[in-house]
Amino acid sequence: MNSNKMEEGSSVDYKSIKKVLDTAGRLKSDGLRDLAVTSVAFANVHGGKIVIGIEDKDKLPPVNQTIDVTIANETIKRLKSLCFNVGFQLGDIETHANGSDFFSIIIYPTLKSIATTSNGKIYIRIGDQCQSARSEDIVRLASEKDAFQWELQPRNISYSEIPEINMRWFADEIRKSDRVKSNIKDLSDIEIIEHYNLIDKGKLTNLGVLWLGTASQRSRLVYPLTVQYIVYDDLEKKVRKEDWQDYSKNPKELLLEIEKESIELTYYDEFPQGLFRNKIRHYDARLVRELLINAIAHKSYTISGDIFIKVYQDRLEITNPGGLPLGITKDNILHTTYRRNPHMIRILHDLKLMEGEGTGYNLIYEITSRDAKAFPIPISDYNSTSVTQYSKILDEEAVLLLDFIAKNYQLSQKEFIALGVITRHKKILATQLTKELQLTDEDRLRSYISKLSNQSIIISRGEKKGTEYLVNPKLIASSKINIKPTLKTIELPRLKALIEEILKIEPNLSIKTIHTKIGDIDIADVRKCVYKMVKDEILETEGAKTDRKYTMAKKKRIKKEM
């Protein structure tokens, strides 16, 4: 293993060897039952890996740890007896960079059945936690297993019944893509179609009907791909509607037609930048493409309903049938990957209609960060998933600053995402930044900000949980951008001095009143500073907690008067 530390997440779980063995070196029943729960949770969502021999606190194996292969073999043997419908693969004993041993167990996802523990309990993996499945989760889990198989279910339509031009078109599109290997491009038209699971034993699959079928054939799918595009005015009254419900287009043709007809999504804002005008679209073309592709790729084709594209004056809402897949929530969507329709996603990727697997939301977050806009808001229930993207630029100065940084520094996608958050907030606590980036712990934050710190693009203040990040004032000065000064980034000594001046002029003020007089600063910063000044005996208090007033401490006032 090259990395010194390992990270836990939705598809990897690390367990200490103490979870498996007692002090005498015998297998522990309680620990194995816990591993069985993790195995079932992985199998029911999208599979995963359990790494045994890693201490959770240090994310490293203990120094001088050795593991005999018989321990690994016995562990997998016992696990198989504690789970039903779970597929395992035992990995080799591996040696970490520190010289210590560990081993891995791969858990395969269940495609048709539901995994349970030997006592009949069902678990699912949510983020980095294993949770007991609720009744509604079990219904949804059964539906997901059926949806996973929908693409490959054959129809009673022979490939000879579809227009030859449709097959030629698909094969030519695949051959034109630089994402497809040459050995696939060298196949015949029919072999390419078989390779992408559009036909099976001479019959079209459901996926094949979507891509190759005629309008009549597509209409006979139980829930075909249909879309409605609706525009609303500032009173949210419907002013325009387009729909695609005649089944005449395959997914690529439909996508391109929607992009062509959605004129409202091409509108833009203008603001001055030196002698020129800077134009920023309400919705970047790449963002629109990713949101549309997500709706098509992750739509549940076993649930009735159209894809809805609703354009309001201040936001875009795209809704598709089917909730977020189990294991994915609005709080982990940036780092969790699950393919409801894996064969559809493979085709969309190979045709260069979408980013690589698991990178779509990273691109969306990068675009919104560069444009100083809010991140998209996903809302999901059993029947549908809706994503809302607001068009408003939250901070025009941030756009100019990020543009300057992009032209002068080589940054990765995730560094731009983090920088966008910091720039919009002016100053942000490490804990809050970790939450906005959907990270499970602050250790993972380093990969987002270490280069930004090393290149002095951002600076930090405070320690541990009180650490704050802000854009380096020297970089702002060198950018020569006319950025309005803000008190949000004021240093603690200056904030203390400002509070002292306010209380010298007008004593006995509450924190809320002090904050109002200062203005452009977070009240949490004022509160923290006032509490510290009380602790340092610079201020004294009067009144109960709910109506507490603050004034300069008596000895401080005497010293000032002298």
Side-chain angles (χ1 to χ4, degrees):
M1 299 288 292
N2 295 325
S3 59
N4 291 326
K5 285 201 174 187
M6 305 178 179
E7 294 180 354
E8 197 166 68
S10 61
S11 59
V12 182
D13 206 346
Y14 297 103
K15 302 291 185 182
S16 169
I17 195 67
K18 299 172 186 174
K19 175 70 72 174
V20 178
L21 300 177
D22 60 20
T23 54
R26 296 186 297 260
L27 291 174
K28 294 168 62 175
S29 297
D30 289 347
L32 289 170
R33 280 193 288 269
D34 182 67
L35 290 183
V37 168
T38 304
S39 301
V40 167
F42 277 142
N44 278 328
V45 183
H46 44 74
K49 181 167 69 171
I50 302 174
V51 184
I52 298 175
I54 305 295
E55 295 298 322
D56 189 55
K57 180 180 178 182
D58 301 321
K59 302 291 192 300
L60 298 169
V63 178
N64 299 323
Q65 175 175 275
T66 58
I67 300 176
D68 191 272
V69 68
T70 57
I71 296 297
N73 290 333
E74 190 63 25
T75 299
I76 199 80
K77 180 180 176 182
R78 290 283 298 276
L79 266 182
K80 288 180 178 179
S81 69
L82 294 170
C83 306
F84 294 144
N85 299 322
V86 179
F88 296 97
Q89 179 182 322
L90 177 63
D92 296 331
I93 303 294
E94 298 181 66
T95 302
H96 191 269
N98 68 1
S100 297
D101 292 345
F102 66 96
F103 67 96
S104 302
I105 300 173
I106 295 173
I107 294 91
Y108 294 106
T110 56
L111 302 183
K112 294 183 179 180
S113 56
I114 295 177
T116 71
T117 57
S118 57
N119 59 358
K121 292 187 178 180
I122 301 172
Y123 295 89
I124 55 176
R125 185 79 171 181
I126 305 291
D128 59 355
Q129 301 293 319
C130 298
Q131 298 181 7
S132 180
R134 303 163 299 176
S135 57
E136 58 265 37
D137 293 329
I138 296 171
V139 173
R140 188 171 164 192
L141 187 58
S143 174
E144 287 289 331
K145 302 301 179 186
D146 183 48
F148 191 83
Q149 294 297 308
W150 178 88
E151 297 176 294
L152 304 185
Q153 290 173 359
R155 309 289 299 181
N156 191 26
I157 303 173
S158 170
Y159 78 88
S160 61
E161 297 178 53
I162 61 176
E164 186 177 338
I165 191 174
N166 291 4
M167 291 193 291
R168 191 182 310 121
W169 172 87
F170 183 86
D172 288 345
E173 289 290 304
I174 290 296
R175 292 189 183 104
K176 286 189 293 186
S177 173
D178 59 11
R179 291 183 178 177
V180 179
K181 294 180 179 179
S182 58
N183 64 309
I184 303 300
K185 295 180 181 182
D186 291 339
L187 298 175
S188 66
D189 291 359
I190 193 69
E191 288 172 331
I192 287 176
I193 288 164
E194 287 178 331
H195 176 76
Y196 285 96
N197 297 290
L198 303 185
I199 60 173
D200 180 28
K201 298 176 182 177
K203 301 290 187 181
L204 263 70
T205 60
N206 281 326
L207 188 64
V209 175
L210 279 180
W211 282 99
L212 305 175
T214 63
S216 175
Q217 290 163 348
R218 291 190 187 107
S219 70
R220 293 198 291 272
L221 290 173
V222 178
Y223 302 119
L225 180 57
T226 51
V227 179
Q228 294 189 46
Y229 176 85
I230 307 171
V231 181
Y232 298 87
D233 63 15
D234 54 358
L235 297 177
E236 300 198 356
K237 292 181 180 178
K238 192 185 301 182
V239 295
R240 188 165 89 85
K241 178 182 176 182
E242 298 283 345
D243 62 57
W244 292 269
Q245 297 180 321
D246 61 358
Y247 321 115
S248 63
K249 301 184 185 304
N250 63 48
K252 179 176 180 177
E253 292 169 337
L254 179 60
L255 174 68
L256 298 180
E257 180 72 11
I258 293 169
E259 291 179 336
K260 177 183 174 183
E261 295 297 327
S262 54
I263 305 298
E264 291 78 9
L265 300 182
T266 65
Y267 295 168
Y268 56 84
D269 289 315
E270 260 191 349
F271 58 92
Q273 184 176 4
L275 299 175
F276 305 97
R277 306 287 294 180
N278 198 17
K279 296 179 180 180
I280 294 183
R281 279 181 50 153
H282 289 181
Y283 310 102
D284 187 282
R286 295 168 300 161
L287 179 143
V288 173
R289 167 67 64 90
E290 282 300 320
L291 291 178
L292 290 175
I293 281 291
N294 272 337
I296 293 171
H298 298 293
K299 162 182 157 64
S300 174
Y301 290 89
T302 61
I303 294 177
S304 174
D306 297 341
I307 292 173
F308 282 91
I309 306 164
K310 298 181 179 180
V311 185
Y312 297 90
Q313 296 296 298
D314 64 339
R315 67 193 186 278
L316 166 67
E317 292 181 7
I318 299 181
T319 304
N320 62 267
L324 287 171
L326 280 170
I328 298 181
T329 70
K330 64 181 180 62
D331 297 319
N332 68 9
I333 197 169
L334 188 60
H335 305 289
T336 307
T337 302
Y338 181 79
R339 302 181 297 171
R340 172 177 282 139
N341 302 301
H343 305 288
M344 169 71 87
I345 290 172
R346 182 187 179 193
I347 293 172
L348 293 170
H349 171 266
D350 285 2
L351 293 180
K352 301 183 72 173
L353 296 175
M354 69 183 297
E355 291 289 304
E357 181 184 341
T359 61
Y361 262 85
N362 285 283
L363 176 62
I364 292 171
Y365 271 52
E366 180 193 3
I367 292 168
T368 49
S369 291
R370 285 175 179 261
D371 290 348
K373 294 181 179 179
F375 290 148
I377 304 168
I379 299 173
S380 178
D381 57 27
Y382 176 76
N383 293 312
S384 65
T385 298
S386 177
V387 180
T388 301
Q389 177 64 58
Y390 283 88
S391 62
K392 183 181 178 182
I393 297 172
L394 300 176
D395 188 338
E396 291 185 4
E397 293 176 346
V399 176
L400 299 176
L401 183 58
L402 288 165
D403 184 58
F404 169 81
I405 293 171
K407 291 175 180 175
N408 290 276
Y409 296 87
Q410 291 287 338
L411 299 180
S412 67
Q413 187 176 67
K414 62 184 183 180
E415 287 160 353
F416 252 113
I417 293 171
L419 182 61
V421 175
I422 295 168
T423 306
R424 286 202 311 272
H425 284 271
K426 308 295 186 186
K427 178 182 68 178
I428 187 169
L429 282 169
T431 50
Q432 187 181 352
L433 181 58
T434 299
K435 183 177 180 181
E436 290 219 18
L437 296 176
Q438 300 184 1
L439 302 174
T440 52
D441 56 60
E442 289 181 34
D443 284 341
R444 293 184 63 190
L445 183 61
R446 292 193 189 97
S447 65
Y448 281 77
I449 63 170
S450 59
K451 185 176 176 181
L452 298 174
S453 295
N454 293 340
Q455 295 194 24
S456 299
I457 296 172
I458 63 171
I459 60 173
S460 62
R461 295 177 184 163
E463 297 178 353
K464 297 181 180 179
K465 289 188 176 181
T467 302
E468 299 172 329
Y469 296 101
L470 61 153
V471 177
N472 191 338
K474 292 181 180 178
L475 183 142
I476 295 174
S478 66
S479 71
K480 295 183 170 38
I481 298 171
N482 186 23
I483 294 180
K484 182 181 176 182
T486 174
L487 290 174
K488 288 183 180 179
T489 58
I490 191 172
E491 295 179 349
L492 185 61
R494 293 186 178 182
L495 180 56
K496 281 183 179 180
L498 187 55
I499 292 173
E500 284 187 23
E501 289 302 315
I502 290 171
L503 292 177
K504 279 168 57 182
I505 297 170
E506 190 176 349
N508 298 315
L509 298 179
S510 66
I511 288 178
K512 185 176 180 180
T513 305
I514 295 171
H515 173 250
T516 302
K517 288 182 176 294
I518 294 174
D520 182 28
I521 191 170
D522 291 335
I523 192 169
D525 291 334
V526 176
R527 188 178 293 113
K528 184 166 64 173
C529 185
V530 167
Y531 289 167
K532 189 173 190 316
M533 292 172 75
V534 171
K535 183 180 179 181
D536 294 343
E537 298 183 349
I538 298 171
L539 302 182
E540 56 188 34
T541 63
E542 181 181 316
K545 186 175 182 180
T546 55
D547 190 35
R548 185 162 293 168
K549 301 290 195 301
Y550 297 86
T551 190
M552 298 292 294
K554 186 174 181 181
K555 62 179 181 180
K556 187 81 175 175
R557 292 200 304 268
I558 294 172
K559 186 176 180 180
K560 290 277 184 186
E561 290 166 2
M562 292 175 63

